[in-house]
mmCIF file of all heavy atoms in Angstrom:
data_model
loop_
_atom_site.group_PDB
_atom_site.id
_atom_site.type_symbol
_atom_site.label_atom_id
_atom_site.label_comp_id
_atom_site.label_asym_id
_atom_site.label_seq_id
_atom_site.Cartn_x
_atom_site.Cartn_y
_atom_site.Cartn_z
ATOM 1 N N LEU A 424 -15.721 41.070 51.035
ATOM 2 C CA LEU A 424 -15.306 41.299 52.423
ATOM 3 C C LEU A 424 -16.325 42.142 53.174
ATOM 4 O O LEU A 424 -16.636 41.881 54.338
ATOM 5 C CB LEU A 424 -13.939 41.975 52.459
ATOM 6 C CG LEU A 424 -12.748 41.076 52.099
ATOM 7 C CD1 LEU A 424 -11.503 41.913 51.843
ATOM 8 C CD2 LEU A 424 -12.485 40.077 53.220
ATOM 9 N N GLN A 428 -17.834 40.567 56.361
ATOM 10 C CA GLN A 428 -17.259 41.101 57.585
ATOM 11 C C GLN A 428 -17.832 42.459 57.979
ATOM 12 O O GLN A 428 -17.547 42.932 59.074
ATOM 13 C CB GLN A 428 -15.738 41.219 57.427
ATOM 14 C CG GLN A 428 -15.061 39.883 57.132
ATOM 15 C CD GLN A 428 -13.554 40.031 56.920
ATOM 16 O OE1 GLN A 428 -12.951 41.027 57.295
ATOM 17 N NE2 GLN A 428 -12.947 39.039 56.299
ATOM 18 N N GLY A 429 -18.620 43.070 57.099
ATOM 19 C CA GLY A 429 -19.205 44.370 57.401
ATOM 20 C C GLY A 429 -18.500 45.487 56.642
ATOM 21 O O GLY A 429 -17.337 45.369 56.241
ATOM 22 N N TRP A 430 -19.240 46.592 56.454
ATOM 23 C CA TRP A 430 -18.695 47.730 55.700
ATOM 24 C C TRP A 430 -17.439 48.285 56.343
ATOM 25 O O TRP A 430 -16.594 48.855 55.672
ATOM 26 C CB TRP A 430 -19.749 48.838 55.612
ATOM 27 C CG TRP A 430 -20.872 48.534 54.674
ATOM 28 C CD1 TRP A 430 -22.142 48.151 55.008
ATOM 29 C CD2 TRP A 430 -20.838 48.570 53.249
ATOM 30 N NE1 TRP A 430 -22.892 47.950 53.869
ATOM 31 C CE2 TRP A 430 -22.126 48.207 52.784
ATOM 32 C CE3 TRP A 430 -19.844 48.886 52.336
ATOM 33 C CZ2 TRP A 430 -22.430 48.148 51.429
ATOM 34 C CZ3 TRP A 430 -20.158 48.824 50.977
ATOM 35 C CH2 TRP A 430 -21.432 48.464 50.545
ATOM 36 N N ALA A 431 -17.322 48.133 57.639
ATOM 37 C CA ALA A 431 -16.205 48.750 58.351
ATOM 38 C C ALA A 431 -15.076 47.765 58.637
ATOM 39 O O ALA A 431 -14.176 48.073 59.409
ATOM 40 C CB ALA A 431 -16.709 49.346 59.664
ATOM 41 N N ALA A 432 -15.082 46.581 58.035
ATOM 42 C CA ALA A 432 -14.053 45.586 58.296
ATOM 43 C C ALA A 432 -12.691 46.080 57.809
ATOM 44 O O ALA A 432 -12.578 46.589 56.680
ATOM 45 C CB ALA A 432 -14.401 44.270 57.593
ATOM 46 N N PRO A 433 -11.644 45.952 58.627
ATOM 47 C CA PRO A 433 -10.305 46.439 58.218
ATOM 48 C C PRO A 433 -9.815 45.830 56.917
ATOM 49 O O PRO A 433 -9.219 46.527 56.093
ATOM 50 C CB PRO A 433 -9.420 46.025 59.404
ATOM 51 C CG PRO A 433 -10.345 45.951 60.562
ATOM 52 C CD PRO A 433 -11.650 45.457 60.011
ATOM 53 N N GLU A 434 -10.045 44.534 56.709
ATOM 54 C CA GLU A 434 -9.563 43.907 55.483
ATOM 55 C C GLU A 434 -10.278 44.468 54.258
ATOM 56 O O GLU A 434 -9.677 44.638 53.193
ATOM 57 C CB GLU A 434 -9.739 42.386 55.556
ATOM 58 C CG GLU A 434 -8.948 41.654 54.495
ATOM 59 C CD GLU A 434 -9.030 40.150 54.598
ATOM 60 O OE1 GLU A 434 -9.616 39.646 55.593
ATOM 61 O OE2 GLU A 434 -8.518 39.466 53.704
ATOM 62 N N ALA A 435 -11.563 44.782 54.413
ATOM 63 C CA ALA A 435 -12.298 45.417 53.311
ATOM 64 C C ALA A 435 -11.706 46.790 53.023
ATOM 65 O O ALA A 435 -11.571 47.200 51.860
ATOM 66 C CB ALA A 435 -13.779 45.531 53.659
ATOM 67 N N GLY A 436 -11.349 47.507 54.082
ATOM 68 C CA GLY A 436 -10.711 48.812 53.905
ATOM 69 C C GLY A 436 -9.394 48.700 53.157
ATOM 70 O O GLY A 436 -9.081 49.522 52.277
ATOM 71 N N ARG A 437 -8.615 47.662 53.474
ATOM 72 C CA ARG A 437 -7.325 47.484 52.785
ATOM 73 C C ARG A 437 -7.531 47.151 51.311
ATOM 74 O O ARG A 437 -6.784 47.624 50.439
ATOM 75 C CB ARG A 437 -6.524 46.374 53.471
ATOM 76 C CG ARG A 437 -5.949 46.787 54.818
ATOM 77 C CD ARG A 437 -4.928 45.790 55.315
ATOM 78 N NE ARG A 437 -5.521 44.519 55.677
ATOM 79 C CZ ARG A 437 -5.989 44.241 56.886
ATOM 80 N NH1 ARG A 437 -5.947 45.150 57.851
ATOM 81 N NH2 ARG A 437 -6.506 43.050 57.149
ATOM 82 N N ALA A 438 -8.563 46.339 51.022
ATOM 83 C CA ALA A 438 -8.838 45.995 49.627
ATOM 84 C C ALA A 438 -9.225 47.242 48.837
ATOM 85 O O ALA A 438 -8.757 47.447 47.699
ATOM 86 C CB ALA A 438 -9.950 44.945 49.553
ATOM 87 N N ASN A 439 -10.070 48.077 49.412
ATOM 88 C CA ASN A 439 -10.470 49.315 48.725
ATOM 89 C C ASN A 439 -9.300 50.281 48.573
ATOM 90 O O ASN A 439 -9.159 50.958 47.557
ATOM 91 C CB ASN A 439 -11.619 49.983 49.478
ATOM 92 C CG ASN A 439 -12.975 49.420 49.091
ATOM 93 O OD1 ASN A 439 -13.242 49.183 47.917
ATOM 94 N ND2 ASN A 439 -13.822 49.191 50.067
ATOM 95 N N THR A 440 -8.445 50.345 49.601
ATOM 96 C CA THR A 440 -7.269 51.224 49.526
ATOM 97 C C THR A 440 -6.346 50.782 48.408
ATOM 98 O O THR A 440 -5.837 51.599 47.623
ATOM 99 C CB THR A 440 -6.527 51.223 50.874
ATOM 100 O OG1 THR A 440 -7.394 51.734 51.883
ATOM 101 C CG2 THR A 440 -5.279 52.099 50.791
ATOM 102 N N PHE A 465 -16.623 52.940 54.092
ATOM 103 C CA PHE A 465 -15.757 52.323 55.104
ATOM 104 C C PHE A 465 -15.430 53.315 56.213
ATOM 105 O O PHE A 465 -15.617 53.038 57.394
ATOM 106 C CB PHE A 465 -14.479 51.820 54.426
ATOM 107 C CG PHE A 465 -13.420 51.328 55.386
ATOM 108 C CD1 PHE A 465 -13.537 50.093 55.984
ATOM 109 C CD2 PHE A 465 -12.325 52.117 55.679
ATOM 110 C CE1 PHE A 465 -12.557 49.645 56.869
ATOM 111 C CE2 PHE A 465 -11.347 51.680 56.552
ATOM 112 C CZ PHE A 465 -11.466 50.432 57.154
ATOM 113 N N ARG A 469 -17.275 53.615 60.082
ATOM 114 C CA ARG A 469 -16.362 53.497 61.229
ATOM 115 C C ARG A 469 -16.302 54.792 62.047
ATOM 116 O O ARG A 469 -15.565 54.876 63.027
ATOM 117 C CB ARG A 469 -14.956 53.153 60.732
ATOM 118 C CG ARG A 469 -14.831 51.739 60.203
ATOM 119 C CD ARG A 469 -13.460 51.494 59.604
ATOM 120 N NE ARG A 469 -12.417 51.560 60.610
ATOM 121 C CZ ARG A 469 -12.036 50.522 61.375
ATOM 122 N NH1 ARG A 469 -12.637 49.360 61.215
ATOM 123 N NH2 ARG A 469 -11.074 50.648 62.248
ATOM 124 N N THR A 657 -20.426 44.744 64.014
ATOM 125 C CA THR A 657 -20.235 44.798 62.571
ATOM 126 C C THR A 657 -19.065 45.692 62.194
ATOM 127 O O THR A 657 -18.768 45.847 61.000
ATOM 128 C CB THR A 657 -21.502 45.328 61.874
ATOM 129 O OG1 THR A 657 -21.697 46.723 62.208
ATOM 130 C CG2 THR A 657 -22.724 44.528 62.277
ATOM 131 N N GLY A 658 -18.412 46.288 63.184
ATOM 132 C CA GLY A 658 -17.309 47.205 62.931
ATOM 133 C C GLY A 658 -17.733 48.661 62.887
ATOM 134 O O GLY A 658 -16.924 49.553 62.655
#
Side-chain angles (χ1 to χ4, degrees):
L424 286 167
Q428 301 177 18
W430 287 104
E434 195 176 353
R437 287 192 292 271
N439 275 318
T440 298
F465 172 77
R469 289 175 65 87
T657 68

